[in-house]
Amino acid sequence: MASKDKEKIVNLYRDTGLTSNMEDYMEAITMLADKNKVVRVKDIAKKLDIKMPSVTAALLKLKEMKLIEYEKYGYIELTNEGKDIADRVYNKHHCLSLFFKEILCLNHEDSDTEACKVEHALAENTCVQLHKFVEFFLESKEADDPWIKKLFKRLK
């Protein structure tokens, strides 16, 4: 793997400096923004299953940190720095979800749930190594490598 590729992967999993709850807000905002034209407090509250005043309080903190643009009763938008952090949180979640689904053969819902549980607890280096393993696995699976068949036989 080229040095440039390694650096790119490491940057995907750099520590955000946020609490796990704040990371959840950032991830929710980016997921909702990808899905909808605009993101509102009520959308985040529904997605995270929490009350709207709690969302508003968290959004004010994120605004203070210059990670979002938000005015009361308005739409929520990520700043450039906020987008970078939200992308890192989402990448970690996506990588873990892929690991649970593609490698451990969990269903989509369970793999997503498990990813949510562990995404905040893993160190940067662990995520980088897991990313490399998932890439290797998917390449091997595509190449119909015999060890993949052995693994699936063992897991089922």
Side-chain angles (χ1 to χ4, degrees), residues 28-45:
I29 292 167
T30 198
M31 291 172 79
L32 288 165
D34 285 346
K35 190 174 160 184
N36 306 325
K37 287 184 179 181
V38 296
V39 179
R40 296 179 179 93
V41 171
K42 68 179 182 177
D43 302 325
I44 297 169

Side-chain angles (χ1 to χ4, degrees), residues 47-147:
K47 179 157 187 59
L48 297 177
D49 194 27
I50 53 180
K51 298 195 183 313
M52 287 180 31
S54 298
V55 173
T56 301
L59 292 178
L60 292 174
K61 287 180 188 174
L62 292 171
K63 180 181 177 180
E64 250 179 55
M65 299 167 79
K66 299 183 181 344
L67 299 177
I68 63 167
E69 293 177 11
Y70 167 68
E71 296 298 326
K72 196 170 184 178
Y73 306 113
Y75 304 132
I76 299 116
E77 291 185 51
L78 295 167
T79 62
N80 287 337
E81 185 181 353
K83 178 118 177 75
D84 177 58
I85 288 174
D87 287 347
R88 282 188 271 152
V89 174
Y90 180 76
N91 284 328
K92 185 186 287 189
H93 179 96
H94 181 69
C95 181
L96 287 164
S97 187
L98 267 177
F99 175 76
F100 292 127
K101 185 176 182 213
E102 296 295 326
I103 298 166
L104 298 186
C105 304
L106 299 180
N107 66 43
H108 177 74
E109 186 177 309
D110 289 345
S111 64
D112 195 54
T113 300
E114 292 300 312
C116 284
K117 289 178 185 176
V118 300
E119 67 189 3
H120 306 293
L122 297 178
E124 286 177 46
N125 191 49
T126 305
C127 294
V128 168
Q129 295 302 93
L130 189 62
H131 178 101
K132 291 176 191 175
F133 178 73
V134 170
E135 277 187 341
F136 171 76
F137 174 85
L138 293 174
E139 289 168 6
S140 298
K141 185 178 174 185
E142 193 173 291
D144 204 26
D145 200 311
W147 77 270

